[in-house]
Amino acid sequence: MKTYKNQYLFLLFLLFQFSFGQSSKSVEKRFYTTKSLENNTSPTIDGLLTDASWDIVEWQTDFIENLPDENTPPTEQTKFKILYDSKFLYVAFKCYDKEPDKIVKRLSRRDGFDGDFVEVNIDSYHDKRTGFSFTISASGVKSDEFIADNGNNWDSSWNPIWYVKTNMDTEGWTAEMKIPLSQLKFSASEDQVWGFQATRRYFRKQERSIWQRIPADAPGWVSEFGELRGLINLKPQKQIEIQPYFLTQLDTYEQEIGNPFREGQDFSLKAGLDAKIGITNDLTLDLTIKPDFGQVEADPAVIALDGFQVFHQEKRLFFIENKNIFDYNFGNNEDNLFYSRRIGRSPQGIISTSTGEFVKRPQNTSILGAAKFSGKTKDGWSLGILESITGNEYAKIDKVSERSDVLVEPLTNYLVGRAQKDFNDRNSFLGAIVTATNRKTDEPQFLLLREAAYSGGLDFKHNWKSRKYFIAGNIVGSHVFGSKESITNTQKEITHLFQRVDADYVSVDTNRTSLTGTGGKIEAGKVSDGHWRYNASVTWRSPELELNDIGFLRQADEIKQTLYVSYQSLKPFAAFRSGMVRFEPFTTYDFGGFHNRTYYDLLGKAEFKNYWWANIGFSYKPRIFNNAYLQGGPKFRFSEEFVSYNVFGTDTRKKIRFQTGIFFAQGKNNSFSYKELDPSVTYQPTNSLSITINPNFNINQSKTQYVTQSSFEKGIRYVTSHLDQQTISASLRLNYNINPNFTIQYYGQPFASTGKYSKFNYVTNPRASYFGNRTVSYAKNQISYDSNTNSYKVDENQNGSTDYSFLNPDFSFVQFRSNLVLRWEYIPGSEIYLVWSQGTNGSGNPLDDLFVNLDAQILGKKPQNTFVLKATYRFLL
């Protein structure tokens, strides 16, 4: 426990240092005064800037370089004007360029951020933490983002309706924006002041210039904006948008003779509705009824040998929008009280079938509807409530033409409530969150599902001395309950493992019907002013913490202490445009007080003056103990580990550009190793077309890979072995843009992974320093392979009879996934999608080469095809 005290003392030392630190250098705030059009004609959005209405306001210029050489004159100057009326905000840009024929006009899908562009950031809340970003490229492609956490979070899933046009001339290029006030959030004050920033990217030199100077060592982005003034008698607009969709879907696949559920094809028609209703100008109600996510890209393939769940990014638009309000991250990067992928998850009910029965099991649970009430008020309240209901989901069973339906997922209600309040001139906030999951679990197939799960948390952050220093923290609690069987199962899940044989502070109680746990994090540090950044943090997750009904928690029972020190350049130097070095050590303990891990990480990042870049990192792990490796068995020790990770890339401005990642990890005495090569090549022959190929190859080897556990007269045997795993994949992305509103995208990825197990052994001394002393190998006359049952039989006491057996763990998994999407935004906010998805899964021969399995399982099988035609129309009321 002495280490915990040392960590807290270090935090107190940092706070003491902060109290006497010098405040950040102040930068004079600029302001622009706009005017109302009143009786003037609104400008036509054609990119020409010839309308007389633009003459009622002055140009604003004197942009300053922000990247790479901060606070120096930019290569080319930029100027802008802003007007408004009762419904819209109008922005005009004039971007000078001495060589207009060299302006880079790359096309991309919306939110592509490619080529030359200009951008406005508007903090209409004037909370100095959040904002709305509107970007237009020289080619006319729109990009838009919601900015949160003072510029640390840019959410490109936000897709407002707005209008743009660009034009080339002999002096450079011009742009006009028309932004509906209904897409912004602001107060009803008579005379308003908004935070404002304008940015230009000069692509040929990868240079960014901005209107309001923001130093390279500033504490954030939004807090440093200039001001937009002159907004008089501006009336908040209540946003009302309704977007119905209509969809037809055809699935084709290889017919299975005799299976009534696999006759070769299925056809369906669907319809649904999305709506966005402004309850006030600050707060919006989002609704979705029978949502469809048919054009969402498939998750990449992954093989998880450690037994832990795999985190997948959310890709469904309804759950992504305003995601920052509902986020409650703590501990590790993935730990969160709200993980929206739980909603609509694969059905969890357990069903059994007999010979001659065919089953059609749904892949996902249907979302009957969802509502989301969210926004931020002028008083600094960030509010969010999300409610979603998933329906009863049934599997169909057919036996000799007799059909029956079996419930595999019960009617479930999900609820998330979130609130934060800014105060202290927006330098501090307090927040809270609650979540609830409720389901009916009284049928036998749901015996292991929890009936209800609740979690809650409080969080805070305080900045001082011009946001140079901060202290932040959160605390979470969880409470789950259900049948004795479900709570017993929860205690035994890999997240908790209360049955661990050498853990005297936890144990499985089969009579419990609930679990209550806690977690949290406290962190303090320096984030601005000068070259140096540093912070320290303590994170904890109690053994009983359980979040996985609506959140994400990989592993409980950990106390983690982290230090972070970094040095970054503020100006180009020598051969570098920019550079950063970071050192981050951490230690972890379990709640039994055992020191599990010590870790040292050193990372360097650099961009060179030839526009190449590199990230180089090294890690050293002198102490590694794992509570979960033997999945309920004793704590297992790994040999000290050395890690190297290196990623470098070429000039992204070029038509042909590439990057390569090389990763290497090695355990002492060659007890385990991991090698990965991850190159990527992009070819962009024209502004409209880009092709990216990203092959990946990795080799994972271990001499003590966990296989299984079996009961034996001398106790439980934890079986391990030598493992040789090889994995290969290659993703291909093709983007073709007919115009900014009509795009064609293709994504395809073949994936193959083969694992071969040999030299089986069992654990005898799991904490031994030398890996060879942790296990004992089976003698040849103790273990044999039975090809009839594809299993290994063990006669450990060599008495002629089998003491225990286990299935052959060798595997070969092959998968192919692809999506071809044609997207046409025929009017702003309304789209037509044509989607062709293709996929196949297969199990190859582990003894065959990876490429042989790819050929046999992908090229040699008929894939499943899905064709979707979807149309939406967005009504603005």
Side-chain angles (χ1 to χ4, degrees):
M1 301 301 290
K2 183 182 293 184
T3 306
Y4 304 160
K5 295 177 181 177
N6 290 341
Q7 182 73 71
Y8 300 141
L9 288 173
F10 185 81
L11 283 170
L12 292 174
F13 170 76
L14 288 179
L15 294 176
F16 179 79
Q17 290 290 98
F18 299 162
S19 301
F20 295 96
Q22 299 298 315
S23 30
S24 301
K25 301 179 292 292
S26 61
V27 175
E28 182 181 355
K29 292 286 186 181
R30 301 186 69 182
F31 65 88
Y32 180 80
T33 303
T34 182
K35 291 182 180 179
S36 171
L37 283 166
E38 295 181 344
N39 297 323
N40 294 282
T41 303
S42 301
T44 302
I45 305 303
D46 54 15
L48 299 177
L49 312 186
T50 55
D51 301 89
S53 53
W54 285 118
D55 296 334
I56 68 175
V57 289
E58 299 295 325
W59 286 108
Q60 184 80 181
T61 185
D62 295 328
F63 278 50
I64 195 77
E65 187 171 326
N66 181 255
L67 291 174
D69 195 1
E70 199 273 317
N71 199 27
T72 60
T75 301
E76 298 284 1
Q77 198 47 256
T78 310
K79 59 185 183 181
F80 67 85
K81 291 183 175 184
I82 301 176
L83 293 168
Y84 71 96
D85 58 24
S86 61
K87 295 292 184 182
F88 299 96
L89 189 75
Y90 304 87
V91 184
F93 275 96
K94 176 68 177 177
C95 304
Y96 291 97
D97 197 312
K98 300 181 184 65
E99 299 178 281
D101 58 317
K102 294 183 179 180
I103 296 170
V104 180
K105 301 184 288 294
R106 287 183 180 173
L107 283 164
S108 69
R109 186 174 171 174
R110 186 169 182 161
D111 298 327
F113 299 97
D114 212 348
D116 284 85
F117 67 64
V118 289
E119 176 179 291
V120 295
N121 299 158
I122 301 171
D123 176 13
S124 52
Y125 292 120
H126 210 202
D127 63 4
K128 302 181 183 178
R129 289 177 55 212
T130 61
F132 304 93
S133 179
F134 301 86
T135 306
I136 178 65
S137 72
S139 61
V141 176
K142 293 190 294 186
S143 301
D144 28 55
E145 298 169 292
F146 181 76
I147 312 170
D149 194 18
N150 200 10
N152 291 319
N153 186 325
W154 296 68
D155 183 3
S156 60
S157 66
W158 179 62
N159 287 320
I161 293 177
W162 56 298
Y163 309 87
V164 298
K165 201 71 176 179
T166 60
N167 183 66
M168 304 295 144
D169 58 36
T170 58
E171 295 182 313
W173 64 286
T174 55
E176 284 182 299
M177 302 179 179
K178 178 182 175 182
I179 303 170
L181 295 176
S182 63
Q183 307 299 297
L184 302 173
K185 309 298 180 186
F186 51 89
S187 70
S189 302
E190 181 179 345
D191 187 358
Q192 298 193 38
V193 176
W194 293 354
F196 183 80
Q197 179 66 286
T199 303
R200 177 184 177 183
R201 178 165 78 172
Y202 184 68
F203 189 79
R204 301 200 295 282
K205 289 189 175 182
Q206 288 290 28
E207 177 185 290
R208 301 267 185 129
S209 57
I210 55 179
W211 170 67
Q212 169 66 58
R213 183 196 167 200
I214 298 181
D217 59 348
W221 184 253
V222 181
S223 61
E224 312 306 302
F225 283 0
E227 293 181 347
L228 178 60
R229 302 177 182 176
L231 300 165
I232 309 298
N233 295 323
L234 206 59
K235 302 299 182 185
Q237 308 292 308
K238 291 185 179 180
Q239 182 181 17
I240 301 179
E241 300 175 12
I242 298 176
Q243 187 176 46
Y245 80 84
F246 302 93
L247 178 147
T248 62
Q249 179 171 325
L250 173 65
D251 295 301
T252 66
Y253 46 85
E254 188 170 7
Q255 183 180 7
E256 295 181 16
I257 303 300
N259 187 344
F261 301 125
R262 301 286 294 178
E263 295 182 334
Q265 68 176 39
D266 298 310
F267 180 77
S268 62
L269 293 171
K270 299 179 183 178
L273 179 72
D274 295 314
K276 190 181 294 288
I277 302 170
I279 305 302
T280 68
N281 180 63
D282 302 314
L283 302 171
T284 302
L285 177 64
D286 292 89
L287 301 170
T288 184
I289 301 172
K290 292 285 187 180
D292 168 71
F293 307 112
Q295 75 277 12
V296 172
E297 186 177 290
D299 294 317
V302 64
I303 301 291
L305 297 179
D306 58 9
F308 287 101
Q309 58 182 320
V310 177
F311 181 89
H312 290 297
Q313 295 290 336
E314 178 60 84
K315 300 176 182 180
R316 300 169 296 179
L317 185 59
F318 175 83
F319 294 108
I320 292 177
E321 271 198 323
N322 278 348
K323 179 178 178 292
N324 64 289
I325 290 180
F326 295 93
D327 265 347
Y328 194 96
N329 178 268
F330 76 100
N332 298 325
N333 292 333
E334 296 171 350
D335 293 341
N336 208 307
L337 264 65
F338 178 48
Y339 177 50
S340 55
R341 292 290 294 260
R342 303 294 185 202
I343 303 174
R345 67 198 306 172
S346 297
Q348 304 169 84
I350 300 172
I351 59 174
S352 58
T353 57
S354 57
T355 304
E357 290 184 333
F358 296 95
V359 179
K360 183 177 183 180
R361 188 182 180 98
Q363 292 183 344
N364 299 99
T365 304
S366 299
I367 301 174
L368 299 181
K372 181 168 58 178
F373 177 72
S374 59
K376 187 161 187 175
T377 71
K378 64 179 180 179
D379 298 322
W381 281 99
S382 294
L383 301 172
I385 299 175
L386 186 146
E387 167 78 13
S388 182
I389 299 175
T390 58
N392 286 326
E393 200 70 46
Y394 294 88
K396 296 183 181 297
I397 299 178
D398 184 282
K399 184 174 183 179
V400 194
S401 300
E402 292 184 6
R403 291 285 179 94
S404 62
D405 292 333
V406 177
L407 188 64
V408 289
E409 183 74 19
L411 183 73
T412 305
N413 185 78
Y414 299 92
L415 173 68
V416 183
R418 183 75 163 109
Q420 277 188 343
K421 177 66 170 71
D422 297 338
F423 61 97
N424 188 28
D425 194 26
R426 312 290 183 171
N427 286 305
S428 309
F429 71 77
L430 288 172
I433 187 173
V434 293
T435 75
T437 305
N438 293 276
R439 56 173 71 93
K440 191 174 182 181
T441 60
D442 53 0
E443 296 198 28
Q445 61 268 39
F446 304 128
L447 191 64
L448 299 183
L449 289 186
R450 294 177 285 269
E451 180 181 343
Y454 303 101
S455 67
L458 299 172
D459 60 340
F460 75 93
K461 186 173 185 179
H462 173 59
N463 301 281
W464 71 94
K465 290 195 179 296
S466 301
R467 297 178 182 256
K468 179 178 179 179
Y469 303 110
F470 80 98
I471 182 170
N474 57 56
I475 184 171
V476 303
S478 68
H479 179 71
V480 298
F481 65 86
S483 65
K484 292 180 180 180
E485 292 81 2
S486 68
I487 299 304
T488 297
N489 182 65
T490 301
Q491 296 174 73
K492 292 182 178 181
E493 287 175 346
I494 196 168
T495 303
H496 306 281
L497 295 175
F498 280 18
Q499 71 274 31
R500 299 199 311 273
V501 298
D502 58 352
D504 57 3
Y505 59 98
V506 292
S507 61
V508 175
D509 184 347
T510 57
N511 291 315
R512 295 186 70 168
T513 57
S514 67
L515 282 178
T516 302
T518 64
K521 180 177 183 178
I522 184 168
E523 181 180 16
K526 173 181 180 288
V527 294
S528 71
D529 193 11
H531 296 279
W532 292 95
R533 306 283 188 277
Y534 47 83
N535 65 54
S537 66
V538 177
T539 305
W540 73 94
R541 300 186 297 276
S542 78
E544 298 84 3
L545 185 66
E546 173 54 54
L547 305 175
N548 289 316
D549 287 275
I550 194 172
F552 189 94
L553 178 67
R554 184 181 296 274
Q555 190 171 12
D557 191 10
E558 184 179 79
I559 300 171
K560 182 178 181 180
Q561 306 163 88
T562 306
L563 298 178
Y564 175 101
V565 180
S566 71
Y567 180 91
Q568 68 179 42
S569 66
L570 302 180
K571 287 279 190 178
F573 64 99
F576 302 93
R577 280 166 56 94
S578 63
M580 184 274 286
V581 178
R582 182 196 75 198
F583 177 61
E584 184 176 9
F586 71 77
T587 59
T588 66
Y589 292 76
D590 60 31
F591 271 65
F594 189 87
H595 179 191
N596 279 331
R597 180 170 294 203
T598 298
Y599 183 108
Y600 302 98
D601 185 64
L602 180 65
L603 172 67
K605 294 184 177 182
E607 184 181 10
F608 303 96
K609 288 186 176 178
N610 65 353
Y611 302 97
W612 286 44
W613 56 271
N615 299 337
I616 300 175
F618 302 94
S619 299
Y620 172 53
K621 307 174 187 179
R623 183 181 179 93
I624 312 171
F625 287 86
N626 192 317
N627 287 350
Y629 187 68
L630 299 181
Q631 300 189 16
K635 191 186 303 286
F636 191 84
R637 181 173 191 165
F638 288 89
S639 302
E640 59 185 299
E641 181 180 1
F642 304 86
V643 180
S644 170
Y645 47 98
N646 307 278
V647 185
F648 66 91
T650 62
D651 186 350
T652 58
R653 304 171 304 161
K654 302 299 184 181
K655 289 186 176 182
I656 298 180
R657 48 196 185 268
F658 71 88
Q659 69 178 57
T660 299
I662 303 172
F663 307 90
F664 175 77
Q666 180 77 56
K668 188 177 180 180
N669 304 124
N670 198 30
S671 57
F672 60 88
S673 66
Y674 178 82
K675 307 176 187 71
E676 180 177 355
L677 181 63
D678 186 31
S680 175
V681 179
T682 297
Y683 176 49
Q684 187 156 8
T686 69
N687 286 328
S688 301
L689 176 65
S690 68
I691 304 168
T692 299
I693 301 175
N694 178 205
N696 180 284
F697 178 68
N698 65 70
I699 299 174
N700 176 33
Q701 295 175 316
S702 174
K703 294 181 180 178
T704 55
Q705 175 64 42
Y706 175 77
V707 177
T708 188
Q709 53 189 270
S710 297
S711 297
F712 181 50
E713 61 184 18
K714 296 181 180 179
I716 296 177
R717 284 300 188 223
Y718 300 96
V719 181
T720 62
S721 78
H722 288 218
L723 168 68
D724 183 4
Q725 180 188 6
Q726 297 185 9
T727 302
I728 189 170
S729 65
S731 62
L732 170 66
R733 292 182 183 272
L734 184 149
N735 296 280
Y736 182 68
N737 304 272
I738 297 172
N739 59 50
N741 300 313
F742 194 175
T743 60
I744 302 173
Q745 290 186 305
Y746 174 81
Y747 168 80
Q749 185 197 55
F751 174 94
S753 184
T754 297
K756 302 174 185 177
Y757 292 76
S758 61
K759 300 180 181 179
F760 292 94
N761 47 70
Y762 58 91
V763 177
T764 55
N765 188 2
R767 301 190 189 185
S769 177
Y770 174 57
F771 85 93
N773 295 331
R774 296 170 200 150
T775 62
V776 171
S777 297
Y778 291 107
K780 288 185 178 180
N781 56 355
Q782 286 182 305
I783 188 169
S784 61
Y785 175 66
D786 184 348
S787 59
N788 294 323
T789 59
N790 191 31
S791 64
Y792 286 91
K793 295 182 178 181
V794 179
D795 179 12
E796 188 175 324
N797 56 20
Q798 302 182 53
N799 62 0
S801 61
T802 300
D803 295 314
Y804 51 92
S805 63
F806 54 89
L807 289 174
N808 180 3
D810 289 355
F811 64 87
S812 180
F813 175 75
V814 182
Q815 183 185 80
F816 176 73
R817 290 285 183 268
S818 71
N819 281 66
L820 177 64
V821 181
L822 281 71
R823 173 186 172 274
W824 176 31
E825 188 175 3
Y826 56 96
I827 59 174
S830 301
E831 299 167 321
I832 292 176
Y833 287 94
L834 180 59
V835 183
W836 174 27
S837 298
Q838 191 177 72
T840 183
N841 293 326
S843 297
N845 186 344
L847 300 179
D848 287 339
D849 183 84
L850 282 171
F851 292 98
V852 172
N853 283 323
L854 280 171
D855 177 62
Q857 298 300 319
I858 294 179
L859 300 179
K861 292 181 67 174
K862 181 179 179 180
Q864 177 166 320
N865 295 281
T866 298
F867 301 93
V868 174
L869 176 62
K870 178 180 177 181
T872 70
Y873 187 85
R874 201 167 181 179
F875 294 92
L876 284 176
L877 304 177

